[in-house]
Amino acid sequence: MEIKVEPKAMEIKVEPKTMEIKLEQEAMEIKIHRDIPEATVKKTKEEEQPLSPAARVFHAPAFNCYVITVIGVKKKIEPDVVIEGLKQTLIRHPRFSSKMVNKTNKNKQTQRWVRTNVVTNNHVIVPDIQTQHIENANADKFLDSYVSDLTLVPLDTSKPLWELHLLDLKTSDAENVAVLKFHHSLGDGMSLMALVLACMRKTSNLNELPTLPYQNRTSSGSSRLTGGSWRGFRFLWLFMVLWSTIMLVLNTICDALRFIATAMFLKDTKTPIKGDYRLSMPTRMSLVHLTVSLDDIKLIKTNMKMTVNDVVIGVTQAGLSKYLERRYGEKKNVVGDDQKSKKNSNEMPKRIRLRSALLVNLRPTTGIQDLADMMDKGSKCRWGNMIGYIVFPFSIGLRKDPLEHLGTAKRIIDRKKNSLEAALTFIVGKFMIKAFGVKVTANLLNRMLSNTTMSFSNLIGPIEEISFFGHPITYMAPSVYGHPHALTMHFQSYMNKMTISLTVDPTVISNPHQLLDDWEESLRNIKTAVQERSSTHQ
């Protein structure tokens, strides 16, 4: 087949033999872009790879998950510049230049990634938005509605499973907005975020890649006990190692039993934020976000001698308690004054089982430089979905001292750290896929998550301002949908900011912005309590 383009008559002739299509220039009202494939790939066996077990689960009807990342920028987006940047970076990644193909071999159907020609313009959407009458507040609502509507439209499987929306829309916290959507089968959250960051550069130096905070790991006791000290404390060290091993095994066994019980029968308390998706999944999800000061979180972290993750989970526990108190109070007003429960000022049950599925990345973090080299030089690096789950129980309830939320959250986190629950769930998941197939595994995972209330994840972002193909970024708000939870909370740090993204089922949580406000108020209350405590101890 040959394609001949004659500029004068704007005729496109398609041969062989009898097929001929003529398009007159005057009749064409749609602007023709350069739809020449940016990558010509020979389809050899090396260009085909089978989907990983986790990727196959993410394509199952019961667990069809997508990732959406909202990126706010400081200047008007230039689509041509972004498209050219994508040609030089993102589409050079094998997963973003491959489509998923179902193949049948010996009556057995398999799913494979097959390299294909990528036309960048087919993946970049620039909607025509009439913004002259849209104020900032209405623009924020428009953005929330636009992003939420994307959850109704699945990606086209005839091409690589990603798309980028460029919105000429000025919101309260950004001059323009980009929305990146891709299927979760392309990779886990950590890998995908690292890949997106590898496409960006520091604003201060456009030749440098973004820098992530250095995570200082305290040295182990064995590294400090050397020489005479080692001989003197050898017995104590051996005892501590033995005790830690015993506790690790016991904690892992307990967590495994709880995980099995959750998959079979152990359900969370039915609360105003818990959905029921045993029969069907929600059709449209609402995505909203809020940006707060990371310095406030670090202030609490330093004074309480915790990690940022400890503080975020503690504040989340306080925010959920405040929000549930509000929702139960609304429910109390609806049932009327003749109810016995009206005698109590707090309608929340005294004991609430509310658990979250915490996503844990089990793969050694793929460096941003490694991914940049892969796109630039074609080198290889780790990629795919390698995530485990931790079932984390929140202690819901009002506290006179808001710092109690931090204490209970840290105790649970420290206990979970001394367990192999995440690794065990990953190993068992791979075994189940091989033994029982993707459908059974996806249904079991769906059932387990349905018996919990929410999902939770936290990612570390760059510490300096970065640009998206020359567009300085103000915030990044990634989230995920497609799993059986009415509430998903995702935290993304960037410079001195922390962005909280919520994905909610609007039929269950109709006011997600109120939940964000309660989270922010809980952060202020805990910060105030920490400052008062510090002043009294001085």
Side-chain angles (χ1 to χ4, degrees), residues 70-74 140 143-144 171-174 177 287-297 312 315 462 473-478 489-502 512-513 515-521 523-524:
V70 181
I71 303 173
V73 298
K74 290 184 176 181
D140 292 343
L143 176 62
D144 291 345
T171 63
S172 60
D173 50 5
V177 179
L287 282 76
V288 299
H289 70 271
L290 171 72
T291 300
V292 298
S293 171
L294 182 60
D295 292 336
D296 290 345
I297 296 175
V312 166
V315 176
I473 292 176
T474 59
Y475 70 88
M476 294 180 289
M489 303 186 73
H490 184 96
F491 295 81
Q492 175 69 58
S493 65
Y494 171 54
M495 294 197 299
N496 60 343
K497 306 174 184 177
M498 176 71 81
T499 300
I500 307 103
S501 304
L502 300 186
H513 287 286
L515 178 54
L516 289 174
D517 292 341
D518 288 338
W519 196 97
E520 187 176 22
E521 183 180 350
L523 175 63
R524 287 196 298 266

Side-chain angles (χ1 to χ4, degrees), residues 323-341:
Y323 180 76
L324 284 173
E325 177 203 13
R326 186 187 309 277
R327 290 290 300 272
Y328 276 109
E330 294 172 356
K331 185 177 180 181
K332 176 182 64 176
N333 293 333
V334 171
V335 298
D337 296 333
D338 57 338
Q339 301 294 324
K340 294 182 179 179
S341 59

Side-chain angles (χ1 to χ4, degrees), residues 324-432:
L324 284 173
E325 177 203 13
R326 186 187 309 277
R327 290 290 300 272
Y328 276 109
E330 294 172 356
K331 185 177 180 181
K332 176 182 64 176
N333 293 333
V334 171
V335 298
D337 296 333
D338 57 338
Q339 301 294 324
K340 294 182 179 179
S341 59
K342 290 285 288 181
K343 296 179 181 179
N344 299 323
S345 60
N346 177 21
E347 284 294 324
M348 282 198 305
K350 292 182 179 180
R351 297 181 63 86
I352 293 180
R353 181 187 293 121
L354 194 157
R355 296 170 298 167
S356 172
L358 266 66
L359 306 180
V360 179
N361 179 43
L362 299 175
R363 186 193 308 279
T365 303
T366 301
I368 295 176
Q369 183 65 56
D370 295 334
L371 289 166
D373 290 342
M374 179 175 62
M375 292 184 290
D376 185 36
K377 305 174 184 177
S379 59
K380 295 182 178 180
C381 68
R382 300 183 181 93
W383 189 258
N385 280 282
M386 192 173 177
I387 53 178
Y389 288 92
I390 288 178
V391 179
F392 185 90
F394 282 104
S395 179
I396 300 298
L398 298 180
R399 306 284 191 271
K400 292 182 179 180
D401 182 3
L403 298 184
E404 290 184 23
H405 287 291
L406 295 180
T408 56
K410 180 170 175 55
R411 285 193 295 271
I412 299 172
I413 293 171
D414 291 343
R415 154 69 177 77
K416 288 290 184 178
K417 287 178 180 178
N418 194 25
S419 170
L420 299 177
E421 180 182 3
L424 189 62
T425 56
F426 175 74
I427 294 171
V428 171
K430 289 187 65 175
F431 169 78
M432 288 197 61

Side-chain angles (χ1 to χ4, degrees), residues 70-125:
V70 181
I71 303 173
V73 298
K74 290 184 176 181
K75 58 181 285 189
K76 183 179 176 64
I77 294 179
E78 302 176 60
D80 291 340
V81 174
V82 173
I83 290 173
E84 188 60 33
L86 292 173
K87 293 178 184 178
Q88 304 302 321
T89 55
L90 195 65
I91 68 169
R92 295 187 177 185
H93 187 283
R95 287 294 176 270
F96 285 76
S97 59
S98 300
K99 61 182 180 179
M100 191 198 70
V101 176
N102 293 312
K103 292 193 173 184
T104 303
N105 185 18
K106 296 180 180 180
N107 298 325
K108 183 179 180 182
Q109 191 176 44
T110 59
Q111 295 173 311
R112 304 185 70 85
W113 296 116
V114 178
R115 296 293 290 271
T116 185
N117 296 331
V118 180
V119 179
T120 311
N121 298 74
N122 293 341
H123 293 266
V124 178
I125 296 95

